[in-house]
Short mmCIF file of all heavy atoms in Angstrom, two decimals:
data_model
loop_
_atom_site.label_atom_id
_atom_site.label_comp_id
_atom_site.label_asym_id
_atom_site.label_seq_id
_atom_site.Cartn_x
_atom_site.Cartn_y
_atom_site.Cartn_z
N GLY A 159 51.06 -164.34 -49.01
CA GLY A 159 52.52 -163.96 -48.95
C GLY A 159 52.99 -163.43 -50.31
O GLY A 159 52.28 -163.71 -51.36
N PRO A 160 54.09 -162.71 -50.31
CA PRO A 160 54.62 -162.26 -51.65
C PRO A 160 54.98 -163.29 -52.62
O PRO A 160 55.26 -164.38 -52.14
CB PRO A 160 55.72 -161.39 -51.23
CG PRO A 160 56.20 -161.90 -49.96
CD PRO A 160 54.95 -162.42 -49.26
N SER A 161 55.01 -162.97 -53.90
CA SER A 161 55.37 -163.95 -54.97
C SER A 161 56.69 -164.62 -54.62
O SER A 161 57.73 -163.83 -54.36
CB SER A 161 55.37 -163.25 -56.30
OG SER A 161 55.74 -164.15 -57.30
N GLY A 162 56.80 -165.85 -54.73
CA GLY A 162 58.14 -166.47 -54.54
C GLY A 162 58.42 -166.79 -53.04
O GLY A 162 59.58 -167.34 -52.79
N CYS A 163 57.43 -166.69 -52.09
CA CYS A 163 57.84 -166.91 -50.71
C CYS A 163 57.69 -168.41 -50.40
O CYS A 163 58.08 -168.74 -49.19
CB CYS A 163 56.88 -165.98 -49.77
SG CYS A 163 55.14 -166.57 -49.76
N GLY A 164 57.08 -169.19 -51.19
CA GLY A 164 57.00 -170.60 -51.06
C GLY A 164 55.62 -171.14 -50.71
O GLY A 164 55.35 -172.35 -50.31
N LYS A 165 54.48 -170.41 -51.10
CA LYS A 165 53.25 -170.76 -50.76
C LYS A 165 52.89 -172.05 -51.61
O LYS A 165 52.33 -173.01 -51.12
CB LYS A 165 52.24 -169.70 -51.20
CG LYS A 165 52.39 -168.39 -50.43
CD LYS A 165 51.36 -167.39 -50.94
CE LYS A 165 51.41 -167.12 -52.31
NZ LYS A 165 52.69 -166.23 -52.69
N SER A 166 53.17 -172.13 -52.83
CA SER A 166 52.94 -173.28 -53.67
C SER A 166 53.80 -174.51 -53.15
O SER A 166 53.31 -175.71 -53.15
CB SER A 166 53.32 -173.04 -55.07
OG SER A 166 52.50 -171.93 -55.76
N THR A 167 55.05 -174.26 -52.84
CA THR A 167 55.86 -175.30 -52.28
C THR A 167 55.28 -175.92 -50.85
O THR A 167 55.33 -177.16 -50.80
CB THR A 167 57.26 -174.86 -52.02
OG1 THR A 167 57.83 -174.22 -53.25
CG2 THR A 167 58.16 -175.91 -51.39
N LEU A 168 54.65 -175.02 -50.09
CA LEU A 168 54.04 -175.56 -48.85
C LEU A 168 52.90 -176.36 -49.18
O LEU A 168 52.72 -177.48 -48.52
CB LEU A 168 53.63 -174.34 -48.06
CG LEU A 168 53.02 -174.74 -46.69
CD1 LEU A 168 54.05 -175.58 -45.76
CD2 LEU A 168 52.60 -173.51 -45.79
N LEU A 169 52.02 -176.05 -50.26
CA LEU A 169 50.95 -176.87 -50.71
C LEU A 169 51.49 -178.30 -51.06
O LEU A 169 50.92 -179.33 -50.73
CB LEU A 169 50.34 -176.27 -51.73
CG LEU A 169 49.35 -175.00 -51.63
CD1 LEU A 169 48.55 -174.82 -52.74
CD2 LEU A 169 48.44 -175.15 -50.39
N HIS A 170 52.73 -178.24 -51.77
CA HIS A 170 53.22 -179.59 -52.23
C HIS A 170 53.74 -180.45 -51.00
O HIS A 170 53.41 -181.72 -51.00
CB HIS A 170 54.49 -179.35 -53.01
CG HIS A 170 54.19 -178.66 -54.40
ND1 HIS A 170 55.15 -178.18 -55.05
CD2 HIS A 170 53.06 -178.53 -55.02
CE1 HIS A 170 54.58 -177.68 -56.10
NE2 HIS A 170 53.40 -177.90 -56.30
N VAL A 171 54.13 -179.90 -49.88
CA VAL A 171 54.52 -180.53 -48.65
C VAL A 171 53.29 -181.06 -47.97
O VAL A 171 53.27 -182.13 -47.61
CB VAL A 171 55.43 -179.53 -47.85
CG1 VAL A 171 55.70 -180.23 -46.50
CG2 VAL A 171 56.72 -179.31 -48.54
N LEU A 172 52.32 -180.21 -47.74
CA LEU A 172 51.18 -180.67 -47.08
C LEU A 172 50.31 -181.72 -47.75
O LEU A 172 49.64 -182.55 -47.04
CB LEU A 172 50.21 -179.39 -46.79
CG LEU A 172 50.82 -178.26 -45.84
CD1 LEU A 172 49.90 -176.99 -45.77
CD2 LEU A 172 50.94 -178.81 -44.40
N SER A 173 50.35 -181.71 -48.97
CA SER A 173 49.65 -182.64 -49.84
C SER A 173 50.52 -183.99 -49.89
O SER A 173 49.95 -185.16 -50.27
CB SER A 173 49.32 -182.19 -51.17
OG SER A 173 50.49 -181.97 -51.90
N GLY A 174 51.78 -183.94 -49.68
CA GLY A 174 52.69 -185.11 -49.89
C GLY A 174 53.30 -185.20 -51.26
O GLY A 174 54.05 -186.18 -51.47
N VAL A 175 53.00 -184.21 -52.15
CA VAL A 175 53.66 -184.25 -53.52
C VAL A 175 55.09 -184.16 -53.31
O VAL A 175 55.98 -184.80 -53.89
CB VAL A 175 53.15 -183.02 -54.26
CG1 VAL A 175 53.94 -182.92 -55.59
CG2 VAL A 175 51.75 -183.24 -54.63
N ILE A 176 55.61 -183.34 -52.23
CA ILE A 176 57.02 -183.33 -51.69
C ILE A 176 56.89 -184.03 -50.34
O ILE A 176 56.15 -183.58 -49.49
CB ILE A 176 57.57 -181.88 -51.58
CG1 ILE A 176 57.68 -181.26 -52.92
CG2 ILE A 176 58.98 -181.89 -50.97
CD1 ILE A 176 58.21 -179.73 -52.93
N PRO A 177 57.61 -185.12 -50.05
CA PRO A 177 58.62 -185.67 -50.93
C PRO A 177 58.19 -186.97 -51.65
O PRO A 177 59.08 -187.63 -52.11
CB PRO A 177 59.59 -186.01 -49.89
CG PRO A 177 58.82 -186.44 -48.73
CD PRO A 177 57.55 -185.57 -48.68
N ARG A 178 56.84 -187.40 -51.68
CA ARG A 178 56.37 -188.67 -52.20
C ARG A 178 56.73 -188.72 -53.70
O ARG A 178 57.22 -189.75 -54.24
CB ARG A 178 55.01 -188.85 -51.95
CG ARG A 178 54.58 -189.08 -50.45
CD ARG A 178 53.16 -189.07 -50.30
NE ARG A 178 52.61 -189.08 -49.02
CZ ARG A 178 51.46 -188.83 -48.50
NH1 ARG A 178 50.44 -188.62 -49.48
NH2 ARG A 178 51.18 -188.95 -47.29
N SER A 179 56.39 -187.60 -54.41
CA SER A 179 56.50 -187.68 -55.85
C SER A 179 57.59 -186.92 -56.41
O SER A 179 58.23 -187.23 -57.51
CB SER A 179 55.18 -187.06 -56.53
OG SER A 179 54.09 -187.91 -56.07
N VAL A 180 57.93 -185.81 -55.73
CA VAL A 180 59.01 -184.85 -56.06
C VAL A 180 60.14 -184.98 -55.04
O VAL A 180 59.85 -184.55 -53.86
CB VAL A 180 58.46 -183.59 -56.34
CG1 VAL A 180 59.68 -182.60 -56.74
CG2 VAL A 180 57.41 -183.43 -57.25
N ASP A 181 61.31 -185.35 -55.40
CA ASP A 181 62.41 -185.47 -54.40
C ASP A 181 63.12 -184.18 -54.23
O ASP A 181 63.86 -183.79 -55.10
CB ASP A 181 63.38 -186.53 -54.86
CG ASP A 181 64.35 -186.88 -53.78
OD1 ASP A 181 64.23 -186.44 -52.58
OD2 ASP A 181 65.37 -187.54 -54.10
N VAL A 182 62.87 -183.55 -53.14
CA VAL A 182 63.46 -182.18 -52.86
C VAL A 182 64.12 -182.26 -51.50
O VAL A 182 63.58 -182.84 -50.51
CB VAL A 182 62.33 -181.09 -52.85
CG1 VAL A 182 63.04 -179.74 -52.38
CG2 VAL A 182 61.77 -180.85 -54.22
N PRO A 183 65.39 -181.78 -51.44
CA PRO A 183 66.01 -181.94 -49.93
C PRO A 183 65.15 -181.14 -48.91
O PRO A 183 65.01 -179.86 -49.07
CB PRO A 183 67.35 -181.14 -50.26
CG PRO A 183 67.63 -181.32 -51.71
CD PRO A 183 66.25 -181.40 -52.39
N MET A 184 64.73 -181.80 -48.00
CA MET A 184 63.85 -181.17 -46.99
C MET A 184 64.01 -181.98 -45.57
O MET A 184 64.59 -183.13 -45.60
CB MET A 184 62.36 -181.14 -47.27
CG MET A 184 61.64 -182.47 -47.56
SD MET A 184 59.87 -182.44 -47.51
CE MET A 184 59.56 -182.39 -45.72
N ARG A 185 63.65 -181.20 -44.75
CA ARG A 185 63.68 -181.96 -43.28
C ARG A 185 62.58 -181.36 -42.36
O ARG A 185 62.32 -180.22 -42.45
CB ARG A 185 65.09 -181.54 -42.47
CG ARG A 185 65.23 -182.34 -41.26
CD ARG A 185 66.57 -182.06 -40.64
NE ARG A 185 66.77 -180.70 -40.16
CZ ARG A 185 67.94 -180.28 -39.73
NH1 ARG A 185 68.96 -180.96 -39.74
NH2 ARG A 185 67.94 -179.01 -39.38
N ALA A 186 61.96 -182.24 -41.67
CA ALA A 186 60.89 -181.91 -40.76
C ALA A 186 60.90 -182.76 -39.55
O ALA A 186 60.99 -184.07 -39.71
CB ALA A 186 59.43 -181.79 -41.48
N ALA A 187 60.67 -182.15 -38.31
CA ALA A 187 60.56 -182.93 -37.11
C ALA A 187 59.40 -183.99 -37.27
O ALA A 187 59.36 -185.08 -36.69
CB ALA A 187 60.45 -182.19 -35.96
N ASN A 188 58.31 -183.49 -37.84
CA ASN A 188 57.15 -184.27 -38.01
C ASN A 188 56.31 -183.87 -39.24
O ASN A 188 56.29 -182.70 -39.46
CB ASN A 188 56.29 -184.16 -36.71
CG ASN A 188 55.18 -184.98 -36.81
OD1 ASN A 188 55.01 -186.20 -37.54
ND2 ASN A 188 54.03 -184.92 -36.13
N LEU A 189 55.84 -184.77 -39.88
CA LEU A 189 55.07 -184.43 -41.21
C LEU A 189 53.97 -185.39 -41.32
O LEU A 189 54.14 -186.63 -41.50
CB LEU A 189 55.91 -184.42 -42.35
CG LEU A 189 55.16 -184.13 -43.69
CD1 LEU A 189 54.42 -182.80 -43.85
CD2 LEU A 189 56.15 -184.20 -44.86
N GLU A 190 52.75 -184.88 -41.26
CA GLU A 190 51.46 -185.65 -41.45
C GLU A 190 50.66 -185.06 -42.63
O GLU A 190 50.01 -184.08 -42.39
CB GLU A 190 50.58 -185.55 -40.22
CG GLU A 190 51.31 -186.24 -39.02
CD GLU A 190 50.42 -186.11 -37.72
OE1 GLU A 190 49.20 -185.79 -37.85
OE2 GLU A 190 50.91 -186.27 -36.71
N ALA A 191 50.95 -185.62 -43.75
CA ALA A 191 50.35 -185.09 -45.07
C ALA A 191 48.92 -185.69 -45.26
O ALA A 191 48.57 -186.61 -44.62
CB ALA A 191 51.17 -185.41 -46.27
N SER A 192 48.25 -185.01 -46.06
CA SER A 192 46.85 -185.33 -46.37
C SER A 192 46.85 -186.68 -47.15
O SER A 192 47.80 -187.00 -47.94
CB SER A 192 46.22 -184.27 -47.16
OG SER A 192 44.86 -184.76 -47.55
N GLU A 193 45.85 -187.57 -46.87
CA GLU A 193 45.85 -188.92 -47.56
C GLU A 193 44.85 -188.88 -48.64
O GLU A 193 44.83 -189.64 -49.55
CB GLU A 193 45.50 -190.05 -46.47
CG GLU A 193 46.66 -190.25 -45.49
CD GLU A 193 47.91 -190.59 -46.07
OE1 GLU A 193 47.80 -191.40 -47.05
OE2 GLU A 193 48.97 -190.34 -45.49
N SER A 194 43.74 -188.11 -48.44
CA SER A 194 42.67 -187.97 -49.50
C SER A 194 42.61 -186.56 -49.99
O SER A 194 42.00 -185.75 -49.24
CB SER A 194 41.28 -188.46 -48.90
OG SER A 194 40.26 -188.33 -49.83
N TYR A 195 43.18 -186.30 -51.12
CA TYR A 195 43.20 -184.99 -51.46
C TYR A 195 42.98 -184.79 -53.10
O TYR A 195 43.40 -185.75 -53.77
CB TYR A 195 44.47 -184.18 -51.11
CG TYR A 195 45.75 -184.63 -51.80
CD1 TYR A 195 46.08 -183.99 -52.99
CD2 TYR A 195 46.48 -185.72 -51.34
CE1 TYR A 195 47.23 -184.53 -53.66
CE2 TYR A 195 47.67 -186.10 -51.96
CZ TYR A 195 48.04 -185.52 -53.19
OH TYR A 195 49.06 -185.84 -53.73
N GLY A 196 42.62 -183.60 -53.58
CA GLY A 196 42.50 -183.25 -54.96
C GLY A 196 43.48 -181.96 -54.95
O GLY A 196 43.53 -181.14 -53.97
N TYR A 197 44.17 -181.78 -56.04
CA TYR A 197 45.17 -180.64 -56.14
C TYR A 197 44.94 -179.92 -57.42
O TYR A 197 44.89 -180.59 -58.48
CB TYR A 197 46.55 -181.24 -56.06
CG TYR A 197 47.75 -180.21 -55.68
CD1 TYR A 197 48.41 -180.51 -54.71
CD2 TYR A 197 47.86 -179.08 -56.55
CE1 TYR A 197 49.55 -179.49 -54.11
CE2 TYR A 197 48.78 -178.28 -56.12
CZ TYR A 197 49.63 -178.39 -54.96
OH TYR A 197 50.61 -177.50 -54.63
N VAL A 198 44.80 -178.60 -57.53
CA VAL A 198 44.79 -177.77 -58.70
C VAL A 198 46.00 -177.03 -58.70
O VAL A 198 46.09 -175.96 -57.98
CB VAL A 198 43.51 -176.92 -58.68
CG1 VAL A 198 43.49 -176.03 -59.98
CG2 VAL A 198 42.18 -177.70 -58.63
N PHE A 199 46.84 -177.47 -59.59
CA PHE A 199 48.21 -176.67 -59.67
C PHE A 199 47.98 -175.26 -60.37
O PHE A 199 47.11 -174.88 -61.03
CB PHE A 199 49.12 -177.48 -60.61
CG PHE A 199 49.69 -178.64 -59.92
CD1 PHE A 199 48.93 -179.88 -59.71
CD2 PHE A 199 50.95 -178.66 -59.37
CE1 PHE A 199 49.48 -181.07 -59.26
CE2 PHE A 199 51.47 -179.80 -58.85
CZ PHE A 199 50.69 -180.92 -58.71
N GLN A 200 49.03 -174.41 -60.01
CA GLN A 200 49.05 -173.19 -60.62
C GLN A 200 49.11 -173.23 -62.09
O GLN A 200 48.42 -172.31 -62.86
CB GLN A 200 50.36 -172.37 -60.02
CG GLN A 200 50.06 -170.89 -60.13
CD GLN A 200 51.41 -170.22 -59.29
OE1 GLN A 200 52.52 -170.72 -59.38
NE2 GLN A 200 51.12 -169.12 -58.77
N ASP A 201 49.89 -174.10 -62.60
CA ASP A 201 49.95 -174.28 -64.17
C ASP A 201 49.24 -175.62 -64.49
O ASP A 201 49.65 -176.68 -64.25
CB ASP A 201 51.47 -174.35 -64.43
CG ASP A 201 51.60 -174.75 -65.99
OD1 ASP A 201 50.63 -174.54 -66.75
OD2 ASP A 201 52.77 -175.10 -66.38
N PRO A 202 48.00 -175.42 -65.01
CA PRO A 202 47.19 -176.62 -65.24
C PRO A 202 47.86 -177.57 -66.17
O PRO A 202 47.63 -178.89 -65.98
CB PRO A 202 45.92 -176.00 -65.86
CG PRO A 202 46.34 -174.73 -66.39
CD PRO A 202 47.32 -174.18 -65.53
N ASP A 203 48.69 -177.26 -67.08
CA ASP A 203 49.33 -178.19 -67.90
C ASP A 203 50.30 -179.14 -67.26
O ASP A 203 50.55 -180.22 -67.67
CB ASP A 203 50.32 -177.43 -68.99
CG ASP A 203 49.40 -176.82 -70.05
OD1 ASP A 203 48.55 -177.58 -70.62
OD2 ASP A 203 49.63 -175.72 -70.50
N SER A 204 50.78 -178.79 -66.01
CA SER A 204 51.61 -179.67 -65.24
C SER A 204 50.86 -180.97 -64.64
O SER A 204 51.62 -181.70 -63.99
CB SER A 204 52.45 -178.79 -64.17
OG SER A 204 51.41 -178.29 -63.25
#
């Protein structure tokens, strides 16, 4: 998808980073996030 469309944010949701670690206003009828995962962020320093 084009830059800024939400690809990274979707990774955060699917991994559970949002909303477990980062509190962002969101709503989902159902969310089953990954329980055993490794994550490589776009910005490694983060």
Side-chain angles (χ1 to χ4, degrees):
S161 175
C163 73
K165 302 183 296 294
S166 298
T167 302
L168 184 59
L169 291 190
H170 293 162
V171 172
L172 294 175
S173 64
V175 171
I176 295 177
R178 294 173 187 167
S179 300
V180 180
D181 187 15
V182 175
M184 62 162 283
R185 186 174 70 186
N188 187 23
L189 175 59
E190 298 175 13
S192 176
E193 295 297 330
S194 171
Y195 71 90
Y197 201 121
V198 178
F199 285 79
Q200 200 172 37
D201 175 13
D203 281 316
S204 64

